[in-house]
Amino acid sequence: MNPVSTPSPAVSTPLLEDFSLEMTGKDMPKLEEAAGLIPQGTRVNVTFLGNETLRMRLDAARAVKRLGFVPVPHISARRLGSRAAFEQFLAGLRDGGTGTDVFTVGGDPARPEGPYEDSLSLIESGLLPEYGVRHVGISGYPEGHPAIVEDVLWSALRGKNAALTAQGLDGSVITQFGFDVDRVLTWIEQIRGHGITLPVRVGVPGPAGVRRLMSYATRFGVGTSASIAKKYGLSLTNLMGTAGPDKFLGALAEGYDRGRHGEVKVHFYTFGGLKATCDWIVQFRKEARA
């Protein structure tokens, strides 16, 4: 792991006081290993991947709760084969006491496997509050989406915000990760201009190999120009190296203005592993307070 540069004192603001994490259904042993490094009550998102079973997803959510964290199971719209499958998942979460907070997403398949085209269709189904869901996370894309045009993204975000309000559901936005702080802060101001006041969790990749980060960036359409990469701390000439988000977080804290940006926190994508990410956060917060 790279040494952590001394961050601005501003990083000890609430940006890092209530961070969230992401794991897959297969990461239960890794979560156990990292549990002592994670503050109790931390929100832990559990992904909904195509190679996971219903039991694996439910068990992972229960493991998160058992360890003292808040499980936030993902629901992938296009991976649900039927309304019955959607209800079965929601019922399993409710029965395990892990279904009050969820994150809705369209998902990777190009075509829906059932009746749900996107996360808005999940919200508009009315099933979430019926099964005890109280808080719904939705996606945000500061750098756009490789398969969805900008106008559609804005329309979808406004629609989901309105649907949550209409059903009396709390919500938040988790952004796709990126390397350009200026784009992120500008985008947050834009959503406020659209009348969306939901809290925003800025997606940040935990420390990982540069080659791996580049691979994920290509997959998700994240900009990696030489100037942005340098500003973030990536070396495009040394793909064997590693990088953490210390410069990004320092710049985010420096540019963040609650009056313009509203409530903003951080969500870590654990590309380099749960424990590596949590070790990094502990060290970074320690140096921020020094």
mmCIF file of all heavy atoms in Angstrom, residues 66-104:
data_model
loop_
_atom_site.group_PDB
_atom_site.id
_atom_site.type_symbol
_atom_site.label_atom_id
_atom_site.label_comp_id
_atom_site.label_asym_id
_atom_site.label_seq_id
_atom_site.Cartn_x
_atom_site.Cartn_y
_atom_site.Cartn_z
ATOM 1 N N ARG A 66 -25.115 -8.988 11.396
ATOM 2 C CA ARG A 66 -24.579 -9.697 12.567
ATOM 3 C C ARG A 66 -23.307 -9.033 13.078
ATOM 4 O O ARG A 66 -23.040 -9.015 14.292
ATOM 5 C CB ARG A 66 -24.311 -11.157 12.191
ATOM 6 C CG ARG A 66 -23.604 -11.976 13.278
ATOM 7 C CD ARG A 66 -23.487 -13.440 12.892
ATOM 8 N NE ARG A 66 -22.860 -13.630 11.597
ATOM 9 C CZ ARG A 66 -21.544 -13.595 11.383
ATOM 10 N NH1 ARG A 66 -20.723 -13.328 12.391
ATOM 11 N NH2 ARG A 66 -21.051 -13.793 10.180
ATOM 12 N N LEU A 67 -22.521 -8.466 12.199
ATOM 13 C CA LEU A 67 -21.263 -7.840 12.582
ATOM 14 C C LEU A 67 -21.442 -6.404 13.078
ATOM 15 O O LEU A 67 -20.472 -5.744 13.433
ATOM 16 C CB LEU A 67 -20.290 -7.868 11.402
ATOM 17 C CG LEU A 67 -19.771 -9.269 11.029
ATOM 18 C CD1 LEU A 67 -19.037 -9.230 9.693
ATOM 19 C CD2 LEU A 67 -18.853 -9.810 12.125
ATOM 20 N N GLY A 68 -22.692 -5.929 13.092
ATOM 21 C CA GLY A 68 -22.961 -4.612 13.667
ATOM 22 C C GLY A 68 -23.014 -3.481 12.667
ATOM 23 O O GLY A 68 -22.992 -2.307 13.047
ATOM 24 N N PHE A 69 -23.110 -3.826 11.359
ATOM 25 C CA PHE A 69 -23.177 -2.806 10.327
ATOM 26 C C PHE A 69 -24.596 -2.752 9.744
ATOM 27 O O PHE A 69 -25.433 -3.590 10.052
ATOM 28 C CB PHE A 69 -22.146 -3.091 9.232
ATOM 29 C CG PHE A 69 -20.776 -3.392 9.777
ATOM 30 C CD1 PHE A 69 -20.107 -4.570 9.450
ATOM 31 C CD2 PHE A 69 -20.159 -2.513 10.655
ATOM 32 C CE1 PHE A 69 -18.862 -4.863 9.968
ATOM 33 C CE2 PHE A 69 -18.901 -2.794 11.188
ATOM 34 C CZ PHE A 69 -18.252 -3.971 10.841
ATOM 35 N N VAL A 70 -24.829 -1.761 8.902
ATOM 36 C CA VAL A 70 -26.146 -1.610 8.267
ATOM 37 C C VAL A 70 -26.078 -2.204 6.863
ATOM 38 O O VAL A 70 -25.391 -1.653 5.991
ATOM 39 C CB VAL A 70 -26.562 -0.129 8.199
ATOM 40 C CG1 VAL A 70 -27.894 0.012 7.460
ATOM 41 C CG2 VAL A 70 -26.647 0.477 9.589
ATOM 42 N N PRO A 71 -26.775 -3.308 6.612
ATOM 43 C CA PRO A 71 -26.745 -3.889 5.273
ATOM 44 C C PRO A 71 -27.574 -3.065 4.298
ATOM 45 O O PRO A 71 -28.674 -2.621 4.617
ATOM 46 C CB PRO A 71 -27.351 -5.287 5.472
ATOM 47 C CG PRO A 71 -28.195 -5.165 6.695
ATOM 48 C CD PRO A 71 -27.568 -4.118 7.559
ATOM 49 N N VAL A 72 -27.017 -2.863 3.104
ATOM 50 C CA VAL A 72 -27.733 -2.163 2.035
ATOM 51 C C VAL A 72 -27.688 -3.072 0.799
ATOM 52 O O VAL A 72 -26.816 -2.920 -0.064
ATOM 53 C CB VAL A 72 -27.107 -0.789 1.723
ATOM 54 C CG1 VAL A 72 -27.943 -0.039 0.688
ATOM 55 C CG2 VAL A 72 -26.963 0.041 3.003
ATOM 56 N N PRO A 73 -28.603 -4.038 0.729
ATOM 57 C CA PRO A 73 -28.587 -4.965 -0.402
ATOM 58 C C PRO A 73 -28.938 -4.257 -1.712
ATOM 59 O O PRO A 73 -29.847 -3.431 -1.756
ATOM 60 C CB PRO A 73 -29.666 -5.996 -0.034
ATOM 61 C CG PRO A 73 -29.938 -5.792 1.424
ATOM 62 C CD PRO A 73 -29.652 -4.359 1.703
ATOM 63 N N HIS A 74 -28.215 -4.607 -2.752
ATOM 64 C CA HIS A 74 -28.542 -4.101 -4.084
ATOM 65 C C HIS A 74 -29.683 -4.928 -4.672
ATOM 66 O O HIS A 74 -29.794 -6.129 -4.428
ATOM 67 C CB HIS A 74 -27.335 -4.220 -5.018
ATOM 68 C CG HIS A 74 -26.257 -3.232 -4.732
ATOM 69 N ND1 HIS A 74 -25.324 -2.845 -5.680
ATOM 70 C CD2 HIS A 74 -25.933 -2.545 -3.598
ATOM 71 C CE1 HIS A 74 -24.484 -1.968 -5.149
ATOM 72 N NE2 HIS A 74 -24.829 -1.779 -3.886
ATOM 73 N N ILE A 75 -30.513 -4.269 -5.479
ATOM 74 C CA ILE A 75 -31.545 -4.961 -6.255
ATOM 75 C C ILE A 75 -31.338 -4.578 -7.706
ATOM 76 O O ILE A 75 -31.473 -3.412 -8.077
ATOM 77 C CB ILE A 75 -32.967 -4.583 -5.796
ATOM 78 C CG1 ILE A 75 -33.129 -4.788 -4.286
ATOM 79 C CG2 ILE A 75 -34.000 -5.415 -6.557
ATOM 80 C CD1 ILE A 75 -34.462 -4.316 -3.740
ATOM 81 N N SER A 76 -30.971 -5.548 -8.520
ATOM 82 C CA SER A 76 -30.674 -5.314 -9.925
ATOM 83 C C SER A 76 -31.918 -5.571 -10.770
ATOM 84 O O SER A 76 -32.357 -6.716 -10.911
ATOM 85 C CB SER A 76 -29.528 -6.226 -10.372
ATOM 86 O OG SER A 76 -29.265 -6.072 -11.740
ATOM 87 N N ALA A 77 -32.486 -4.515 -11.329
ATOM 88 C CA ALA A 77 -33.770 -4.618 -12.023
ATOM 89 C C ALA A 77 -33.741 -5.644 -13.157
ATOM 90 O O ALA A 77 -34.612 -6.520 -13.248
ATOM 91 C CB ALA A 77 -34.163 -3.243 -12.575
ATOM 92 N N ARG A 78 -32.758 -5.541 -14.023
ATOM 93 C CA ARG A 78 -32.765 -6.389 -15.219
ATOM 94 C C ARG A 78 -32.358 -7.827 -14.942
ATOM 95 O O ARG A 78 -32.451 -8.676 -15.818
ATOM 96 C CB ARG A 78 -31.878 -5.757 -16.302
ATOM 97 C CG ARG A 78 -32.490 -4.493 -16.887
ATOM 98 C CD ARG A 78 -31.764 -4.009 -18.125
ATOM 99 N NE ARG A 78 -30.475 -3.418 -17.820
ATOM 100 C CZ ARG A 78 -30.295 -2.137 -17.473
ATOM 101 N NH1 ARG A 78 -31.342 -1.328 -17.363
ATOM 102 N NH2 ARG A 78 -29.097 -1.671 -17.227
ATOM 103 N N ARG A 79 -31.893 -8.110 -13.729
ATOM 104 C CA ARG A 79 -31.575 -9.497 -13.370
ATOM 105 C C ARG A 79 -32.759 -10.226 -12.729
ATOM 106 O O ARG A 79 -32.673 -11.432 -12.466
ATOM 107 C CB ARG A 79 -30.386 -9.541 -12.412
ATOM 108 C CG ARG A 79 -29.074 -9.126 -13.052
ATOM 109 C CD ARG A 79 -27.885 -9.547 -12.222
ATOM 110 N NE ARG A 79 -26.647 -9.013 -12.732
ATOM 111 C CZ ARG A 79 -25.967 -9.498 -13.768
ATOM 112 N NH1 ARG A 79 -26.444 -10.558 -14.398
ATOM 113 N NH2 ARG A 79 -24.836 -8.942 -14.154
ATOM 114 N N LEU A 80 -33.850 -9.518 -12.471
ATOM 115 C CA LEU A 80 -35.026 -10.145 -11.858
ATOM 116 C C LEU A 80 -35.900 -10.759 -12.945
ATOM 117 O O LEU A 80 -36.407 -10.049 -13.824
ATOM 118 C CB LEU A 80 -35.814 -9.116 -11.054
ATOM 119 C CG LEU A 80 -35.130 -8.589 -9.787
ATOM 120 C CD1 LEU A 80 -35.894 -7.384 -9.248
ATOM 121 C CD2 LEU A 80 -35.020 -9.677 -8.733
ATOM 122 N N GLY A 81 -36.102 -12.075 -12.870
ATOM 123 C CA GLY A 81 -36.846 -12.757 -13.915
ATOM 124 C C GLY A 81 -38.342 -12.585 -13.847
ATOM 125 O O GLY A 81 -39.045 -12.846 -14.832
ATOM 126 N N SER A 82 -38.861 -12.142 -12.706
ATOM 127 C CA SER A 82 -40.313 -12.031 -12.549
ATOM 128 C C SER A 82 -40.634 -11.184 -11.326
ATOM 129 O O SER A 82 -39.765 -10.927 -10.482
ATOM 130 C CB SER A 82 -40.939 -13.413 -12.376
ATOM 131 O OG SER A 82 -40.486 -14.011 -11.163
ATOM 132 N N ARG A 83 -41.887 -10.787 -11.224
ATOM 133 C CA ARG A 83 -42.354 -10.096 -10.020
ATOM 134 C C ARG A 83 -42.215 -11.013 -8.811
ATOM 135 O O ARG A 83 -41.847 -10.569 -7.717
ATOM 136 C CB ARG A 83 -43.823 -9.672 -10.202
ATOM 137 C CG ARG A 83 -44.420 -8.966 -8.982
ATOM 138 C CD ARG A 83 -45.906 -8.681 -9.182
ATOM 139 N NE ARG A 83 -46.525 -8.148 -7.986
ATOM 140 C CZ ARG A 83 -46.736 -6.855 -7.745
ATOM 141 N NH1 ARG A 83 -46.362 -5.956 -8.641
ATOM 142 N NH2 ARG A 83 -47.316 -6.458 -6.629
ATOM 143 N N ALA A 84 -42.478 -12.304 -9.019
ATOM 144 C CA ALA A 84 -42.367 -13.258 -7.915
ATOM 145 C C ALA A 84 -40.932 -13.319 -7.391
ATOM 146 O O ALA A 84 -40.706 -13.414 -6.175
ATOM 147 C CB ALA A 84 -42.829 -14.640 -8.365
ATOM 148 N N ALA A 85 -39.945 -13.248 -8.293
ATOM 149 C CA ALA A 85 -38.542 -13.273 -7.865
ATOM 150 C C ALA A 85 -38.204 -12.022 -7.062
ATOM 151 O O ALA A 85 -37.463 -12.083 -6.069
ATOM 152 C CB ALA A 85 -37.637 -13.387 -9.083
ATOM 153 N N PHE A 86 -38.748 -10.886 -7.489
ATOM 154 C CA PHE A 86 -38.547 -9.636 -6.763
ATOM 155 C C PHE A 86 -39.133 -9.753 -5.355
ATOM 156 O O PHE A 86 -38.482 -9.434 -4.356
ATOM 157 C CB PHE A 86 -39.220 -8.515 -7.552
ATOM 158 C CG PHE A 86 -38.984 -7.119 -7.034
ATOM 159 C CD1 PHE A 86 -37.999 -6.830 -6.095
ATOM 160 C CD2 PHE A 86 -39.767 -6.063 -7.511
ATOM 161 C CE1 PHE A 86 -37.798 -5.534 -5.636
ATOM 162 C CE2 PHE A 86 -39.580 -4.765 -7.055
ATOM 163 C CZ PHE A 86 -38.595 -4.499 -6.123
ATOM 164 N N GLU A 87 -40.345 -10.239 -5.261
ATOM 165 C CA GLU A 87 -40.995 -10.374 -3.958
ATOM 166 C C GLU A 87 -40.289 -11.405 -3.079
ATOM 167 O O GLU A 87 -40.208 -11.233 -1.857
ATOM 168 C CB GLU A 87 -42.466 -10.742 -4.140
ATOM 169 C CG GLU A 87 -43.283 -9.622 -4.775
ATOM 170 C CD GLU A 87 -44.763 -9.754 -4.505
ATOM 171 O OE1 GLU A 87 -45.154 -9.725 -3.323
ATOM 172 O OE2 GLU A 87 -45.532 -9.905 -5.484
ATOM 173 N N GLN A 88 -39.794 -12.468 -3.683
ATOM 174 C CA GLN A 88 -39.070 -13.476 -2.900
ATOM 175 C C GLN A 88 -37.819 -12.873 -2.262
ATOM 176 O O GLN A 88 -37.508 -13.142 -1.094
ATOM 177 C CB GLN A 88 -38.686 -14.652 -3.799
ATOM 178 C CG GLN A 88 -37.996 -15.791 -3.058
ATOM 179 C CD GLN A 88 -37.570 -16.920 -3.977
ATOM 180 O OE1 GLN A 88 -37.400 -16.725 -5.190
ATOM 181 N NE2 GLN A 88 -37.394 -18.111 -3.430
ATOM 182 N N PHE A 89 -37.113 -12.045 -3.021
ATOM 183 C CA PHE A 89 -35.914 -11.399 -2.488
ATOM 184 C C PHE A 89 -36.285 -10.419 -1.370
ATOM 185 O O PHE A 89 -35.676 -10.428 -0.292
ATOM 186 C CB PHE A 89 -35.176 -10.680 -3.614
ATOM 187 C CG PHE A 89 -33.841 -10.102 -3.212
ATOM 188 C CD1 PHE A 89 -32.954 -10.803 -2.413
ATOM 189 C CD2 PHE A 89 -33.464 -8.843 -3.641
ATOM 190 C CE1 PHE A 89 -31.719 -10.275 -2.042
ATOM 191 C CE2 PHE A 89 -32.241 -8.296 -3.280
ATOM 192 C CZ PHE A 89 -31.364 -9.009 -2.479
ATOM 193 N N LEU A 90 -37.294 -9.597 -1.614
ATOM 194 C CA LEU A 90 -37.722 -8.632 -0.598
ATOM 195 C C LEU A 90 -38.211 -9.332 0.670
ATOM 196 O O LEU A 90 -37.915 -8.895 1.793
ATOM 197 C CB LEU A 90 -38.821 -7.739 -1.156
ATOM 198 C CG LEU A 90 -38.408 -6.727 -2.224
ATOM 199 C CD1 LEU A 90 -39.639 -6.016 -2.790
ATOM 200 C CD2 LEU A 90 -37.421 -5.710 -1.669
ATOM 201 N N ALA A 91 -38.942 -10.434 0.498
ATOM 202 C CA ALA A 91 -39.439 -11.171 1.661
ATOM 203 C C ALA A 91 -38.284 -11.774 2.450
ATOM 204 O O ALA A 91 -38.291 -11.771 3.692
ATOM 205 C CB ALA A 91 -40.398 -12.269 1.211
ATOM 206 N N GLY A 92 -37.277 -12.288 1.740
ATOM 207 C CA GLY A 92 -36.114 -12.850 2.422
ATOM 208 C C GLY A 92 -35.351 -11.801 3.205
ATOM 209 O O GLY A 92 -34.891 -12.049 4.332
ATOM 210 N N LEU A 93 -35.229 -10.617 2.633
ATOM 211 C CA LEU A 93 -34.568 -9.519 3.340
ATOM 212 C C LEU A 93 -35.370 -9.103 4.567
ATOM 213 O O LEU A 93 -34.822 -8.929 5.657
ATOM 214 C CB LEU A 93 -34.385 -8.316 2.401
ATOM 215 C CG LEU A 93 -33.426 -8.499 1.218
ATOM 216 C CD1 LEU A 93 -33.483 -7.287 0.303
ATOM 217 C CD2 LEU A 93 -32.000 -8.742 1.694
ATOM 218 N N ARG A 94 -36.671 -8.957 4.391
ATOM 219 C CA ARG A 94 -37.534 -8.568 5.515
ATOM 220 C C ARG A 94 -37.466 -9.595 6.636
ATOM 221 O O ARG A 94 -37.298 -9.236 7.817
ATOM 222 C CB ARG A 94 -38.978 -8.445 5.027
ATOM 223 C CG ARG A 94 -39.988 -8.084 6.111
ATOM 224 C CD ARG A 94 -41.401 -8.387 5.654
ATOM 225 N NE ARG A 94 -41.556 -9.814 5.341
ATOM 226 C CZ ARG A 94 -42.538 -10.321 4.606
ATOM 227 N NH1 ARG A 94 -43.466 -9.535 4.080
ATOM 228 N NH2 ARG A 94 -42.602 -11.626 4.376
ATOM 229 N N ASP A 95 -37.540 -10.871 6.287
ATOM 230 C CA ASP A 95 -37.541 -11.919 7.312
ATOM 231 C C ASP A 95 -36.208 -12.004 8.044
ATOM 232 O O ASP A 95 -36.166 -12.426 9.203
ATOM 233 C CB ASP A 95 -37.873 -13.276 6.665
ATOM 234 C CG ASP A 95 -39.285 -13.314 6.101
ATOM 235 O OD1 ASP A 95 -40.089 -12.424 6.442
ATOM 236 O OD2 ASP A 95 -39.575 -14.239 5.312
ATOM 237 N N GLY A 96 -35.132 -11.585 7.386
ATOM 238 C CA GLY A 96 -33.816 -11.592 8.027
ATOM 239 C C GLY A 96 -33.495 -10.291 8.730
ATOM 240 O O GLY A 96 -32.403 -10.133 9.287
ATOM 241 N N GLY A 97 -34.449 -9.353 8.711
ATOM 242 C CA GLY A 97 -34.205 -8.067 9.356
ATOM 243 C C GLY A 97 -33.182 -7.222 8.636
ATOM 244 O O GLY A 97 -32.521 -6.365 9.240
ATOM 245 N N THR A 98 -33.043 -7.429 7.306
ATOM 246 C CA THR A 98 -32.008 -6.737 6.547
ATOM 247 C C THR A 98 -32.574 -5.946 5.368
ATOM 248 O O THR A 98 -31.845 -5.617 4.433
ATOM 249 C CB THR A 98 -30.972 -7.750 6.009
ATOM 250 O OG1 THR A 98 -31.656 -8.725 5.189
ATOM 251 C CG2 THR A 98 -30.258 -8.465 7.139
ATOM 252 N N GLY A 99 -33.869 -5.642 5.407
ATOM 253 C CA GLY A 99 -34.496 -5.059 4.235
ATOM 254 C C GLY A 99 -34.988 -3.637 4.368
ATOM 255 O O GLY A 99 -35.755 -3.175 3.522
ATOM 256 N N THR A 100 -34.575 -2.908 5.402
ATOM 257 C CA THR A 100 -35.054 -1.532 5.530
ATOM 258 C C THR A 100 -34.327 -0.576 4.583
ATOM 259 O O THR A 100 -34.881 0.449 4.190
ATOM 260 C CB THR A 100 -34.907 -1.018 6.978
ATOM 261 O OG1 THR A 100 -33.539 -1.099 7.359
ATOM 262 C CG2 THR A 100 -35.778 -1.827 7.932
ATOM 263 N N ASP A 101 -33.075 -0.907 4.243
ATOM 264 C CA ASP A 101 -32.270 -0.071 3.350
ATOM 265 C C ASP A 101 -31.856 -0.898 2.144
ATOM 266 O O ASP A 101 -31.268 -1.982 2.305
ATOM 267 C CB ASP A 101 -31.009 0.417 4.065
ATOM 268 C CG ASP A 101 -31.312 1.304 5.253
ATOM 269 O OD1 ASP A 101 -31.856 0.798 6.266
ATOM 270 O OD2 ASP A 101 -31.013 2.500 5.172
ATOM 271 N N VAL A 102 -32.126 -0.386 0.943
ATOM 272 C CA VAL A 102 -31.711 -1.095 -0.267
ATOM 273 C C VAL A 102 -31.130 -0.085 -1.254
ATOM 274 O O VAL A 102 -31.284 1.127 -1.103
ATOM 275 C CB VAL A 102 -32.882 -1.852 -0.941
ATOM 276 C CG1 VAL A 102 -33.495 -2.864 0.015
ATOM 277 C CG2 VAL A 102 -33.943 -0.887 -1.476
ATOM 278 N N PHE A 103 -30.474 -0.619 -2.267
ATOM 279 C CA PHE A 103 -29.934 0.200 -3.355
ATOM 280 C C PHE A 103 -30.461 -0.374 -4.655
ATOM 281 O O PHE A 103 -30.273 -1.563 -4.942
ATOM 282 C CB PHE A 103 -28.408 0.169 -3.335
ATOM 283 C CG PHE A 103 -27.764 0.962 -4.449
ATOM 284 C CD1 PHE A 103 -27.679 2.343 -4.368
ATOM 285 C CD2 PHE A 103 -27.247 0.327 -5.572
ATOM 286 C CE1 PHE A 103 -27.092 3.084 -5.377
ATOM 287 C CE2 PHE A 103 -26.663 1.061 -6.592
ATOM 288 C CZ PHE A 103 -26.577 2.444 -6.499
ATOM 289 N N THR A 104 -31.165 0.439 -5.440
ATOM 290 C CA THR A 104 -31.756 -0.040 -6.688
ATOM 291 C C THR A 104 -30.891 0.385 -7.870
ATOM 292 O O THR A 104 -30.404 1.516 -7.930
ATOM 293 C CB THR A 104 -33.169 0.517 -6.873
ATOM 294 O OG1 THR A 104 -33.127 1.950 -6.883
ATOM 295 C CG2 THR A 104 -34.099 0.035 -5.761
#
